[in-house]
Amino acid sequence: MTFGFVFCVRGRGSSSSCKAGCYFRQEKESCNPTEVRMSQIVMPCHCNHRQELSVGQLLKWMDSTACLSAERHAGSPCVTASMDDIDFEHTISVGQVVNIQAKVNRAFNTSMEVGIQVSCEDLFQDRHWRVCHAFATFTVCCFNAFVSKVTLRPIAPQTHKEKVEYSIAAERRRVRMVHDDIIKDLLSSGSIQPDSLSGYNAVQAEKTKVESVELVLPPHANHQVNTFGGQIMAWMVNVAMIAASRLCQAHPTLRTIDMFTFRGPSKVGDRLLLRAIVNNAFKSSLEVGVRAEAYQEEGPNRHINSAFMTFEVLDKSGKPCALPRIRPEPVEGERRFQEAIARKKIRLDSVAFVSSSQTSVYLSYNNVSALKMLAAKKSWRLSTEKDQVCLYTLEQKSMLSIRVEKVVDVPAATAFALLAELSNRTLWDTHYKECELIQRVDEDDFIYRVVTPSVLQGKVGSPTSSPQKEEILQDFILLTSVRKPCSPGDPYVIALRSVTLPTHPPFEKCNRGEVLCAGFTILETENKKSLIRYYNQASPEVLPYISNDVAGLSSSFYHTFCACSEYLIQHKLHPTAEADQQQTLETPSPTKTLQSTQL
């Protein structure tokens, strides 16, 4: 056991182990049976030449902690299937303590998501800070020849934070499932502008090539005799660091690792061939691509993993330095060069491009997760209540959010089918003058253009407003993401946020408005009723309107929500409600480029 190692498994029926780990906590929470904690004192053998903890060593500790958490839940050996993007916020120096916490956020049928939190502790100055967080996916190893897959039991989240992570885990899974196709869609759509492939004093990419072979020995394997996933990642970081150093002729700092997937296992006795090359160099950062292949004395090479890592070179003040340009190799090098641009565009702008086969996964993920995070806030306060319609407010810094809720005598599935079709909102919401479906992104995501009265003058659009000679209008381009429950107890979700669509620029006669975060959650209650909640994070366009309702000077939200309830009740027995919904959702639309609104 490594010197300075402290390990704690939080399990059922073990009060001593729970108490042993509670000193990590900053707030009182119930013990999670899948939670595993590891603490390591950083020794010189764990560090690089600058006496900073090697990222490869940190990845090994993170992977082992997460694996033990997954096995704790599954009750069987598990292997790492993938790891989401990792951003390293700080470096860790020798003598400091690394604290790692891992627990299963959600279990699906045959895989589970494990959340990993890494923090650093300075023992002499009593300081703590976050280093990074990550989400890993694990699957169960099945050694029974008669059973092809092991079905995992569901997770029952207990604390507020666990419930939030449990809810958003389903959206992260959607991103993972189409991750490999996103870059192809970006390039094939023509959205990435070709960059210059050469430049003055550009460095030949061939000069940054690194090739290294590692023999997998028993110390490199886990308790299943497979090569430890963290060890493979550590070797990949090593060759990537060398490739980056050959370009910049300095000691680079690893900043991010893009999402990667393990494509197959490696075992003791394998030779692991690691290849790395700089794909592209930007103004102050560079991307290195790494490929790992395993082979025996006989037989073909097996592709194990590929990863893309972003490095920076820091000056004495900690600021990124300018880097030389790279001249890629013909064909394959040029392909990697352009793909690196696409990955950087996704990282910096969270831009998703629509194709006929893929959805704007990053925008829809941000859309749904933002609504779920807003709904999960604890500081909601009841502002007004009238005839069982409750208006809650949430104030955070300079942001005001509202929540309106009521129990409606309509089954949740029916309410969801009726509300998910945003075009029908003109039937019950007087503020919706027009609502047009302009693009079907996929079966769960749609883009609408909505026209409403402008609220910039305060009274326009309110039921109590006086008639005006010329009504001022504003329009919104809204991404609507609809989600059915993934498991019992989950709500139906209809999330709304503004996006920019190049095919629909602002109109001269309309003010272009912005919705930061809005939408409905619908939860099934007893007697087949529904608890319907509407959320809206106030933007400058609607802040005066919301302020009047909060202050009790207007009852427009009450009237609108009552109209919504009446609409649902009147149409709950309509035999074609769901059929009309499906027909609308399946309406094809042209494929366009979609970009996120800058918030």
Side-chain angles (χ1 to χ4, degrees), residues 41-73:
I41 295 179
V42 179
M43 306 300 290
C45 61
H46 303 141
C47 297
N48 57 25
H49 63 285
R50 290 178 294 192
Q51 298 301 298
E52 294 174 349
L53 175 63
S54 164
V55 174
Q57 181 63 59
L58 177 59
L59 290 172
K60 287 198 287 186
W61 288 339
M62 291 170 62
D63 191 46
S64 83
T65 309
C67 182
L68 291 171
S69 175
E71 292 181 348
R72 182 71 180 175
H73 177 69

Side-chain angles (χ1 to χ4, degrees), residues 534-552:
Y534 174 75
Y535 297 87
N536 197 320
Q537 197 171 56
S539 58
E541 290 85 353
V542 298
L543 186 58
Y545 177 39
I546 293 178
S547 299
N548 286 339
D549 280 273
V550 173

Side-chain angles (χ1 to χ4, degrees), residues 430-433 450-462 465 468 470-476 509-513 540-545:
T430 59
H431 303 96
Y432 270 49
K433 298 297 182 182
V450 175
V451 178
T452 69
S454 176
V455 294
L456 293 176
Q457 296 180 348
K459 293 185 179 180
V460 178
S462 171
S465 61
Q468 297 187 5
E470 184 177 355
E471 187 178 38
I472 301 176
L473 299 177
Q474 65 178 354
D475 68 342
F476 302 84
K509 296 183 179 181
C510 288
N511 298 321
R512 178 55 56 87
E541 290 85 353
V542 298
L543 186 58
Y545 177 39

Side-chain angles (χ1 to χ4, degrees), residues 365-400:
Y365 166 71
N366 292 335
N367 190 19
V368 176
S369 61
L371 180 61
K372 289 185 175 182
M373 292 290 288
L374 180 62
K377 297 292 185 182
K378 292 183 176 180
S379 304
W380 291 100
R381 294 185 178 181
L382 180 62
S383 177
T384 59
E385 181 178 4
K386 183 178 180 181
D387 297 335
Q388 299 180 340
V389 177
C390 300
L391 173 64
Y392 293 83
T393 59
L394 174 67
E395 296 184 36
Q396 291 182 310
K397 297 181 180 179
S398 58
M399 188 68 66
L400 174 66

Side-chain angles (χ1 to χ4, degrees), residues 174-194:
R174 291 171 60 93
V175 175
R176 296 183 195 109
M177 294 177 69
V178 297
H179 175 72
D180 291 341
D181 298 317
I182 294 175
I183 301 300
K184 296 178 182 177
D185 291 338
L186 285 168
L187 297 174
S188 63
S189 66
S191 302
I192 301 300
Q193 298 297 325

